[in-house]
């Protein structure tokens, strides 16, 4: 860990300042040697040339600018003495006060200038040329800046970084200190990036009691939100109380009473159940309760829709299918024909099946049949990669679901997602086809259904045996389990697919059989390695040397993806990314780089967005650099290349795989990570020419059959498993499925 350095000195020169996020580059003349200057960077309250400051930070080496002090803490002192005050006011810190006006003010009021501006700004009007209105404006600006400085200094005492302090002050303004003193848990509700544990640490420093009602309510909500991160839509009452009791170290009785208060305040929802089942009484956030009920109701309503076809039309359409079965050179099998028929007459259809069973061909046949009747069709998928693949295979533009719903721009502090398409402005389509539907979580399905007009048709295609969505819910599986909508499952593996060991082994794994791993295969290999170090070295050799020559037209950045079951350990994505970056994109004087949270991001790096950010502005440009499209929203799992790092203003440019270009500032970098290696969960909805899967050891919770199945089915041309055959077999044997608390299937069955 780098040593933290303390300095006290004078701000000599503001090289760069970003008013939006507070990122600053400045030079400091140390108090003990004012003849030298130190270049400093950081997200800070606005600094003024001539100010005296105390700073703490660590020295980092910038490839372009050399050694710089990365500031982690700053304490500002008001300028003292007329020379320092004159320099401060004359720097332009206060709009409307230039050097000449500053000289007149300081000449009149001397060392009392700043106190007077803060407490009695109207007295500035005593100076010729300054009206009372202008005097009050000067006082207001100075007061706001002073309050920001005081608030940021106050927040730093609680261990809050300047970047987050800036966000907090933007949200709460002059109420910041009162909020922290009385209810710091409000920060967790309103500030993206500050969670309950951070707020709880602040509360402890602020002297707030462990049994504070604010703390108990925040802790219960946090326990429920943590469950959502694990895929649960609700928690049984007893489990929620147990989780919150362990988290808060408070009696279950107090937690139970707090839960009742939250329900009475309409902050949480407690579902009615028979008296004997009270321990398992479902507890929901209000949003999830409303969403799950709405999904069940809307699916039931849409399922009642039938295409307005008389009997003759149905016979004609069936004959059409049987006589014209050649779709892109592949004849439709019986279940494929059934799927097309059901799509024509069903309000909601689920089309599911594993790799090689013809889902894509069936979707294209459905599109052709719908076109025969002049129906307007929209295609969408949860991720940009999946949408791009859908466009390529269908010949029709497919969008991400977020883009189909026309996501709205929102304020930075909002945690809600908002879409232009809704029940009042529905999607203009008769048929909506969603691919990779197993990835769709509760809230995205809620918003999608709100935007589907009554009478429109919905087709959900996906592989139900893959991992469920990263977000809460198990939508596709619950819909199938309910029996409330028409489902067609494709099971026949087509002859072309039978030639692929990837497809055959994926089905073997899914059925609990061990994959065939031998040298006869052209696209599925197991390279046995005894130690984690051997696994890592083999992966590096595969990516850099062996696979680019083995696969035609292979780009090792775009076409080869390492997929690990875990984040930590020597074979987790954190370490693998470090090793792969070192080989695939080594440091160079020609490449700009920047360290953030212990990760060195470098120009040319392969990166991934790790959270949904509904406010990020993107654009698409043509070969001439001209913008041809723009919008908002970057989403969890989006992958791209870091094309530029601008250390002058701390901005990072990423070109995502679907062509969107996004500029990040330093406060948004926490949502990016390297992705030469990615977790299998993050790979859902994506497809790569080659997939490398390290398998050596790990907890049973991660080393499971459906995780392995999902990883294998991400590959189009080649799968290479590196590691232990014994662990590979254990994964196949481990059919452990982590149950998610959802009630959608029950609600659909009851409709």
């Amino acid at each position: 860990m780098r040593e933290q350095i303390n300095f006290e000195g004078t701000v000599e020169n503001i090289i760069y300042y970003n008013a939006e996020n507070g990122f600053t580059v400045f030079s400091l003349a140390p108090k003990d040697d004012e003849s030298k200057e130190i270049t400093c960077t950081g997200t800070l309250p606005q600094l003024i040339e001539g100010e005296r400051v105390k700073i703490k930070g660590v020295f980092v080496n910038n490839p372009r600018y050399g050694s710089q002090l990365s500031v982690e803490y700053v304490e500002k002192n008001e300028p003292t003495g007329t020379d320092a005050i004159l320099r401060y006011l004359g720097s332009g810190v206060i709009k409307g006060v230039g050097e000449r006006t500053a000289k007149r003010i300081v000449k009149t009021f001397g060392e009392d200038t700043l106190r007077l501006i803060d407490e009695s700004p109207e007295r500035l009007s005593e100076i010729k040329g300054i009206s009372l209105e202008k005097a009050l404006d000067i006082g207001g600006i100075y007061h706001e800046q002073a309050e920001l400085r005081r608030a940021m200094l106050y927040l730093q005492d609680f261990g809050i970084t300047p970047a987050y302090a800036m966000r907090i002050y933007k949200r709460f303004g002059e109420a910041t200190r009162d909020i922290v003193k009385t209810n710091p848990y409000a920060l967790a509700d309103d500030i993206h990036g500050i969670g309950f544990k951070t707020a709880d640490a602040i509360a402890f420093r602020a002297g707030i009691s462990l049994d504070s009602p604010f703390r108990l309510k925040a802790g219960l909500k946090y326990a429920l939100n943590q469950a959502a991160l694990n895929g649960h839509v609700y928690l049984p009452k007893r489990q929620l109380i147990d989780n919150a009791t362990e988290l808060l170290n408070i009696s279950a009785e107090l937690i139970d009473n707090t839960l009742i208060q939250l329900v009475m305040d309409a902050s949480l929802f407690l579902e009615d159940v028979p008296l004997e089942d009270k321990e398992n009484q479902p507890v929901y956030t209000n949003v999830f309760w409303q969403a799950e009920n709405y999904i069940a109701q809307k699916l039931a309503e849409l399922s009642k829709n039938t295409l307005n076809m008389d009997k003759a039309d149905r016979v004609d359409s069936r004959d059409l299918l049987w006589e014209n079965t050649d779709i892109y050179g592949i004849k439709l099998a019986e279940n494929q024909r059934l799927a097309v028929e059901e799509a024509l007459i069903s309000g909601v259809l689920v089309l599911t099946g594993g790799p090689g069973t013809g889902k894509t061909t069936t979707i294209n046949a459905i599109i052709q049949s719908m076109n025969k009747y002049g129906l307007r069709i929209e295609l969408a998928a949860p991720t940009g990669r999946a949408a791009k693949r859908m466009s390529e295979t269908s010949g029709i533009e497919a969008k991400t679901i977020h883009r189909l719903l026309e996501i709205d721009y929102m304020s930075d502090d909002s945690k809600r997602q908002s879409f232009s398409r809704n029940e009042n402005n529905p999607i203009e389509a008769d048929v909506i086809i969603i691919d990779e539907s197993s990835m769709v979580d509760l809230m995205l399905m809620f918003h999608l259904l709100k935007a589907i007009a009554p009478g429109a048709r919905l087709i959900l295609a996906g592989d139900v045996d893959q991992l469920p969505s990263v977000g809460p819910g198990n939508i596709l599986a619950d819909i199938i389990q309910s029996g409330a909508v028409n489902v067609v499952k494709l099971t026949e593996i087509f002859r072309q697919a039978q030639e692929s060991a990837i497809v055959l082994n994926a089905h073997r794994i899914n059925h609990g059989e061990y994959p065939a791993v031998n040298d006869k295969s052209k696209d599925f290999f197991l390279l046995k390695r005894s130690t984690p170090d051997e696994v890592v070295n083999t992966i590096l050799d595969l990516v850099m040397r062996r696979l680019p020559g083995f696969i035609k037209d292979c780009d090792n950045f775009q076409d080869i993806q390492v997929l690990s079951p875990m984040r930590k350990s020597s074979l987790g994505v954190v370490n693998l990314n470090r090793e792969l970056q070192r080989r695939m994109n080594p440091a160079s004087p020609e490449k700009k780089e920047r360290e953030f949270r212990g990760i060195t991001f470098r120009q040319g790096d392969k990166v991934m967005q790790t959270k949904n950010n509904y406010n990020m502005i993107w654009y698409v440009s043509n070969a001439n650099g001209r913008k041809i499209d723009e919008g908002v929203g970057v989403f969890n799992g989006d992958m791209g290349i870091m094309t530029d790092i601008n250390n002058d203003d701390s901005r990072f440019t990423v070109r995502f795989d679907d062509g969107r270009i996004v500029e990040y500032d330093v406060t948004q970098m926490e949502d990016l990570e390297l992705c030469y290696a990615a977790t299998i969960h993050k790979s859902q909805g994506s497809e790569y020419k080659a997939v490398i899967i390290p398998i050596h050891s790990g907890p049973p919770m991660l080393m499971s059959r459906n995780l392995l199945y999902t990883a294998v089915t991400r590959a189009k041309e080649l799968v290479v498993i590196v590691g232990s055959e014994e662990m590979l077999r254990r994964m196949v044997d481990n059919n452990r499925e982590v149950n998610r608390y959802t009630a959608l299937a029950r609600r659909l069955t009851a409709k």
Side-chain angles (χ1 to χ4, degrees), residues 678-692:
T679 62
I680 296 169
H681 276 93
K682 293 285 188 185
S683 73
Q684 288 177 269
S686 296
E687 195 174 64
Y688 314 93
K689 279 189 177 181
V691 166
I692 302 172

Side-chain angles (χ1 to χ4, degrees), residues 314-374:
R314 294 191 187 189
V315 171
D316 287 346
S317 67
R318 190 171 290 118
D319 289 343
L320 178 74
L321 289 168
W322 283 89
E323 292 171 7
N324 299 289
T325 56
D326 197 328
I327 306 294
Y328 300 117
I330 302 174
K331 291 189 179 295
L332 293 178
E334 185 173 349
N335 261 18
Q336 290 179 304
R337 297 189 191 103
L338 175 63
V340 179
E341 287 185 35
E342 291 295 334
L344 286 169
I345 63 174
S346 302
V348 179
L349 174 69
V350 171
L351 175 66
T352 186
T357 57
K359 287 195 303 295
T360 298
T361 299
T362 306
I363 290 171
N364 290 335
I366 290 170
I367 292 170
Q368 289 193 9
S369 299
M370 296 295 184
N371 283 335
K372 176 180 180 291
Y373 291 97

Side-chain angles (χ1 to χ4, degrees), residues 398-436:
K399 304 172 183 175
T400 63
I401 298 174
H402 288 88
R403 194 172 177 199
L404 177 67
L405 297 177
E406 298 176 14
I407 191 163
D408 281 340
Y409 185 85
M410 297 173 296
S411 66
D412 289 340
D413 294 321
S414 175
K415 292 186 178 181
R416 297 174 295 109
Q417 46 190 340
S418 175
F419 300 94
S420 294
R421 294 292 180 178
N422 51 44
E423 58 267 70
N424 298 318
N425 182 31
I427 300 165
E428 296 173 1
D430 303 304
V431 183
I432 297 162
I433 303 176
I434 306 295
D435 200 8
E436 296 287 357

Side-chain angles (χ1 to χ4, degrees), residues 159-226:
I160 299 173
T161 65
Y164 279 112
M166 181 71 76
R167 289 189 190 182
I168 293 167
Y169 186 80
K170 277 188 173 183
R171 170 66 181 84
F172 295 109
E174 293 188 12
T176 295
R177 285 183 286 176
D178 288 338
I179 290 287
V180 173
K181 285 178 184 176
T182 58
N183 180 22
Y185 300 99
L187 304 181
D189 288 335
D190 291 327
I191 307 299
H192 176 66
I194 292 186
F196 170 81
K197 291 188 175 180
T198 301
D200 205 33
I202 295 168
F204 178 77
R205 293 190 183 190
I208 293 173
S209 66
L210 293 180
D211 60 356
S212 161
F214 291 128
R215 181 172 187 265
L216 300 187
K217 289 179 179 180
L220 266 168
K221 291 178 183 177
Y222 173 77
L224 209 50
N225 288 331
Q226 285 299 108

Side-chain angles (χ1 to χ4, degrees), residues 420-670:
S420 294
R421 294 292 180 178
N422 51 44
E423 58 267 70
N424 298 318
N425 182 31
I427 300 165
E428 296 173 1
D430 303 304
V431 183
I432 297 162
I433 303 176
I434 306 295
D435 200 8
E436 296 287 357
S437 296
S438 63
M439 294 180 63
V440 179
D441 64 20
L442 179 84
M443 293 310 299
L444 190 55
M445 180 58 77
F446 168 66
H447 287 290
L448 174 64
L449 290 174
K450 283 178 70 178
I452 297 179
R457 330 184 72 68
L458 175 64
I459 298 170
L460 300 172
D463 186 348
V464 73
D465 294 316
Q466 287 186 26
L467 294 169
S469 59
V470 174
N474 200 3
I475 300 296
L476 188 64
D478 284 352
I479 292 173
I480 294 172
Q481 181 188 338
S482 73
V485 304
N486 288 342
V487 177
V488 176
K489 184 167 186 178
L490 303 177
T491 55
E492 180 181 342
I493 303 174
F494 288 94
R495 185 167 58 189
Q496 293 92 332
Q498 289 177 4
E499 297 173 3
S500 167
I502 296 174
V503 171
L504 295 178
N505 280 332
H507 284 277
R508 287 190 184 103
I509 291 166
N510 199 30
H511 296 145
E513 302 168 11
Y514 301 138
V517 287
N518 54 55
D519 293 334
K520 294 179 182 178
S521 168
K522 296 179 181 179
D523 60 6
F524 195 103
F525 298 94
L526 169 65
L527 303 183
K528 298 178 184 179
R529 299 294 183 268
S530 301
T531 68
D533 285 346
E534 290 177 353
V535 174
V536 172
N537 290 331
T538 301
I539 289 173
L540 293 173
D541 187 45
L542 286 167
V543 172
M544 297 302 298
R545 186 178 65 86
R546 295 170 66 177
L547 295 191
F550 184 80
I551 303 170
K552 185 179 180 181
D553 300 325
C554 177
D555 176 347
N556 61 355
F557 269 80
Q558 296 288 345
D559 298 327
I560 302 173
Q561 185 62 51
V562 179
L563 297 178
S564 174
M566 63 198 81
R567 288 193 59 80
K568 299 179 180 178
S569 87
S570 58
L571 297 181
V573 297
V574 175
N575 184 60
L576 288 172
N577 273 318
R578 189 182 302 117
E579 294 296 326
L580 286 161
Q581 182 197 46
R582 183 172 57 83
R583 292 290 299 277
M584 296 179 73
N585 191 31
S588 163
E590 286 76 41
K591 296 176 187 175
K592 291 177 275 188
E593 62 181 47
R594 174 74 182 272
E595 184 176 326
F596 186 81
R597 290 177 329 196
I599 300 172
T600 298
F601 288 96
R602 188 171 296 134
Q603 193 174 3
D605 272 337
K606 188 176 182 180
V607 294
M608 175 187 286
Q609 175 79 11
T610 61
K611 295 177 184 175
N612 290 339
N613 187 323
Y614 305 103
N615 298 333
M616 291 291 288
I617 299 171
W618 56 260
Y619 65 91
V620 177
S621 61
N622 60 18
N624 298 321
R626 182 181 175 185
K627 289 184 182 180
I628 57 175
D629 194 10
E630 59 185 352
V632 295
V634 183
F635 306 106
N636 188 1
D638 286 350
M639 297 171 67
I641 299 295
M642 186 166 286
T643 57
D644 190 33
I645 298 174
N646 189 333
N647 282 303
D648 291 337
D649 62 0
S650 198
R651 287 190 175 274
F652 309 77
T653 304
V654 176
R655 180 187 292 273
F656 287 98
D657 291 345
D658 57 5
R660 289 171 302 150
I661 299 170
V662 178
E663 289 188 357
Y664 290 74
D665 66 37
V666 70
T667 64
Q668 297 161 326
M669 282 298 292
E670 64 188 2

